[in-house]
Amino acid sequence: MGSEKYINLDEDNISDEHICCAFSDKKCSEGYQLKKEWLKKQFKDGYVFRKLDERGKIFIEYVPAEKAWAPIIAPNYMLINCFWVSGKFKGEGHGKELYQYCLEDAKEMDGLVVMAASRKQPFMSDKKFFIKQGFLLADTAPPYFELWYKPLKANVPIPKFKEIAKTGKNDIKDGLVVYFTNACPFNEYYVNTELKAVAEKQGVNLTIKKLASREQAQNHFVPHTLYSIFYNGEFITQHILNEKAFDRFIQK
């Protein structure tokens, strides 16, 4: 591991560096560039994107929780926003290395916090890794969202989800509603191309809502703000809803 090179993205190098997700997926090229633009705006707020200097998905993203695009209350905590080691790079210690860097970065704070699920879900962190690192369950929100934290000081406040994120209900009661941000490079294509086509084919009314500000994301109806699907006012999934997955989640 000592010979491996990790780099942090910043305003100076992000134009020349890949951002791991979707870098080889041509249909997501627009979302890829929008994610870079989104990152540029977050760097000034202490957002960190650290990755292995290889063409692969080996990275961690974290930010002070007060600046996170998430409906949580966790003052003086560091939120691990996205954490991924995939493919041939698994089992080589990269996850531990990236996590330790984040932990060192947060050593003066009250602790670390991460969002997971009661059972493994796509596009969400696997809680098993964090439990091994000493994380504790802080809060839950329907139907399966969990907030885990690792205190770094004694007697620190326990993080929690905002009450609005515990309803599992949105404010549009008719048809299919998708909320998303540009924090994920896959979203632009799968919302504006795939999901539109599926909804039209299925004869379902579709409303598209982009969470364009931190304030909107911090007051979202469920903890997962990257991408969330509601049907007739009820949260359905954070799974990307393409034609193959439609019948699994939506029953008219």
Side-chain angles (χ1 to χ4, degrees):
M1 290 298 297
S3 63
E4 302 286 4
K5 181 184 177 184
Y6 297 88
I7 58 175
N8 288 5
L9 298 185
D10 57 34
E11 290 187 9
D12 295 327
N13 66 14
I14 193 170
S15 296
D16 301 320
E17 295 289 342
H18 75 77
I19 54 172
C20 301
C21 291
F23 64 87
S24 59
D25 193 336
K26 292 183 179 180
K27 66 180 179 293
C28 294
S29 58
E30 180 184 4
Y32 186 82
Q33 292 303 319
L34 288 170
K35 167 69 182 272
K36 283 193 170 187
E37 293 302 316
W38 184 88
L39 282 171
K40 287 179 184 178
K41 296 175 182 177
Q42 309 312 310
F43 289 144
K44 62 179 172 42
D45 292 324
Y47 200 95
V48 173
F49 187 117
R50 184 169 177 80
K51 64 169 187 154
L52 183 67
D53 192 14
E54 295 280 353
R55 285 187 67 80
K57 300 178 181 69
I58 318 97
F59 68 101
I60 189 169
E61 299 178 48
Y62 58 88
V63 64
E66 295 93 333
K67 300 294 185 179
W69 285 47
I72 65 172
I73 300 172
N76 206 37
Y77 276 80
M78 189 76 81
L79 172 72
I80 298 176
N81 196 40
C82 197
F83 189 22
W84 197 359
V85 177
S86 69
K88 67 179 182 179
F89 298 98
K90 287 184 175 179
E92 296 184 354
H94 295 298
K96 279 278 189 71
E97 191 83 9
L98 291 167
Y99 168 74
Q100 288 297 327
Y101 185 90
C102 173
L103 183 62
E104 178 66 20
D105 227 5
K107 65 182 180 181
E108 300 301 325
M109 303 179 76
D110 286 351
L112 300 176
V113 64
V114 66
M115 199 180 304
S118 57
R119 60 185 186 274
K120 192 172 182 180
Q121 294 288 337
F123 304 102
M124 295 189 71
S125 293
D126 188 346
K127 67 181 179 181
K128 292 179 181 178
F129 175 87
F130 296 101
I131 292 173
K132 289 180 180 178
Q133 312 311 317
F135 278 64
L136 304 169
L137 182 61
D139 201 4
T140 63
Y144 44 66
F145 296 107
E146 296 181 345
L147 194 64
W148 289 80
Y149 78 113
K150 181 180 178 67
L152 300 179
K153 299 176 184 177
N155 302 316
V156 294
I158 298 175
K160 59 184 178 179
F161 290 123
K162 286 187 173 182
E163 288 303 313
I164 192 173
K166 294 185 176 185
T167 66
K169 302 177 185 294
N170 71 337
D171 56 357
I172 300 175
K173 308 304 180 183
D174 178 32
L176 200 62
V177 184
V178 57
Y179 299 83
F180 74 103
T181 77
N182 287 131
C184 176
F186 295 104
N187 286 344
E188 205 71 29
Y189 170 79
Y190 281 100
V191 168
N192 291 305
T193 302
E194 287 263 348
L195 188 57
K196 276 186 176 179
V198 172
E200 183 175 353
K201 183 176 181 179
Q202 296 289 341
V204 176
N205 182 53
L206 173 64
T207 302
I208 296 174
K209 294 277 191 177
K210 181 181 284 191
L211 302 177
S213 71
R214 181 186 295 113
E215 182 181 10
Q216 288 178 329
Q218 289 184 347
N219 292 283
H220 190 40
F221 304 106
V222 290
H224 197 271
T225 62
L226 285 181
Y227 179 101
S228 55
I229 291 278
F230 293 75
Y231 186 60
N232 291 341
E234 301 282 342
F235 173 75
I236 300 298
T237 185
Q238 86 296 329
H239 192 290
I240 285 177
L241 207 59
N242 54 21
E243 185 170 0
K244 184 177 180 181
F246 187 90
D247 290 338
R248 175 182 167 193
F249 293 103
I250 308 297
Q251 296 182 355
K252 293 182 288 182

